[in-house]
């Protein structure tokens, strides 16, 4: 009997430690679940952190609502300005508004459309990588800076008016501008001296590199001359970002 008791003695503390360990794990799990529920307020943290496209889409809708409110406020300011009996003050305000880019503008110009290369180029062109087939931020910057250098008076990227303080960023083959996300094709519409702007594009080293890849892998470039076009006023915040396009 003693020998049997001695032989079983080591197993009993082991089972006890196992039970204590399981109990501790359960307590810690309970604390973790309670903390997670508190942080997420009953919603799924994974849904909020992993669904990047959904978050961007939601933010895009919020930005559209704020932009509409901003436009309505500016319209009210314009209405009150027109009621001002002081003609010189109104003229100065209109001059500043035009210079900043807050008013509509029309005139002759160019429309440049840049598109990604077809995926079939990966197998057809030796040494080609997926990154070679997309329009990059530096490509857009090269075109935009060349147009400003060529005397551009007003510019629009996609459906938004841009000014000298506007900034955009590219992630993969998407464009982020004023909180909105765009997919290619990327369209730059510009008003100004057509011949001078076209010549500036020809002289731009960055545009030249892009055009080499147009021939090499099939990146898209379409330059159209516009007899007249109208660009809306800028409706974004009048702040300067660290990355300036223009």
């Amino acid at each position: 009997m003693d020998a049997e008791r001695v032989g079983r003695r080591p197993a009993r503390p082991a089972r006890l430690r196992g039970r204590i360990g399981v109990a501790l794990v359960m307590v810690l799990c309970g604390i973790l679940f309670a903390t997670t529920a508190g942080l997420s307020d009953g919603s799924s943290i994974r849904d909020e952190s992993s669904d990047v496209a959904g978050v961007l889409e939601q933010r895009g809708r919020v930005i559209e609502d704020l932009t509409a409110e901003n436009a309505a406020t500016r319209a009210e300011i314009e209405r009150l300005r027109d009621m001002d009996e002081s003609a010189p003050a109104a003229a100065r305000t209109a001059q500043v508004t035009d210079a900043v880019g807050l008013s509509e503008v029309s005139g002759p110009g160019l429309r440049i459309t840049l598109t990604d290369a077809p995926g079939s180029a990966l197998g057809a062109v030796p040494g080609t990588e997926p990154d070679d087939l997309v329009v990059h931020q530096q490509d857009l910057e090269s075109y935009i800076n060349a147009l400003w250098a060529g005397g551009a008076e007003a510019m629009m990227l996609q459906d938004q008016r841009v000014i000298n303080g506007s900034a955009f960023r590219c992630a993969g083959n998407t464009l982020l501008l004023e909180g909105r996300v765009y997919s290619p094709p990327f369209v730059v519409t510009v008003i100004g001296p057509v011949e001078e702007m076209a010549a500036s594009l020809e002289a731009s080293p960055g545009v030249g590199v892009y055009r080499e890849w147009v021939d090499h892998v099939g990146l898209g470039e379409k330059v159209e001359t516009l007899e007249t076009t109208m660009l809306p006023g800028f409706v974004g915040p009048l702040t300067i970002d660290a990355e300036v396009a223009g």
Side-chain angles (χ1 to χ4, degrees):
M1 179 69 75
D2 292 339
E4 183 181 357
R5 185 178 299 170
V6 172
R8 291 180 180 178
R9 191 171 294 171
R12 296 177 63 186
R15 287 197 297 269
L16 180 60
R17 289 195 299 269
R19 293 172 182 171
I20 294 174
V22 171
L24 289 175
V25 170
M26 296 300 293
V27 170
L28 291 175
C29 287
I31 295 173
L32 177 60
F33 293 153
T35 304
T36 301
L39 290 174
S40 63
D41 193 23
S43 60
S44 172
I45 290 180
R46 175 176 294 181
D47 290 343
E48 295 182 4
S49 61
S50 62
D51 188 7
V52 177
V55 171
L56 290 176
E57 183 179 355
Q58 181 181 5
R59 289 183 179 178
R61 289 194 295 267
V62 172
I63 290 171
E64 288 180 1
D65 292 341
L66 293 176
T67 300
E69 293 178 7
N70 188 20
T73 301
R74 288 186 177 178
E76 179 65 14
I77 292 173
E78 291 290 333
R79 187 185 69 81
L80 295 175
R81 187 194 69 183
D82 294 339
M83 294 174 58
D84 190 352
E85 297 180 356
S86 176
R92 287 195 299 270
T93 302
Q95 184 179 9
V96 172
T97 300
D98 293 340
V100 173
L102 302 182
S103 57
E104 294 182 355
V105 61
S106 61
L110 296 173
R111 181 188 295 122
I112 297 103
T113 304
L114 305 180
T115 56
D116 292 346
S120 58
L122 283 176
V125 182
T128 302
E129 299 179 359
D131 197 50
D132 300 327
L133 307 183
V134 299
V135 179
H136 290 284
Q137 179 170 327
Q138 62 264 29
D139 300 324
L140 280 170
E141 289 175 346
S142 295
Y143 277 86
I144 289 174
N145 290 334
L147 292 168
W148 286 126
E153 300 169 6
M155 190 178 300
M156 182 170 68
L157 178 56
Q158 301 299 85
D159 58 351
Q160 294 192 56
R161 176 79 175 272
V162 297
I163 58 177
N164 285 338
S166 297
F168 65 89
R169 295 175 178 85
C170 291
N173 67 336
T174 60
L175 167 71
L176 180 63
L177 173 64
E178 298 296 341
R180 299 183 186 176
V181 180
Y182 299 91
S183 298
F186 301 126
V187 181
V188 180
T189 309
V190 59
I191 290 176
V194 173
E195 294 183 0
E196 288 84 346
M197 292 189 298
S200 184
L201 289 175
E202 290 288 342
S204 168
V207 173
V209 170
Y210 181 86
R211 287 176 172 173
E212 290 179 3
W213 284 91
V214 169
D215 297 332
H216 185 56
V217 298
L219 285 171
E221 182 206 37
K222 182 179 181 181
V223 180
E224 303 171 87
T225 299
L226 306 175
E227 292 185 3
T228 183
T229 187
M230 188 278 293
L231 302 185
F234 177 75
V235 295
L238 295 176
T239 57
I240 298 178
D241 204 319
E243 297 184 25
V244 177

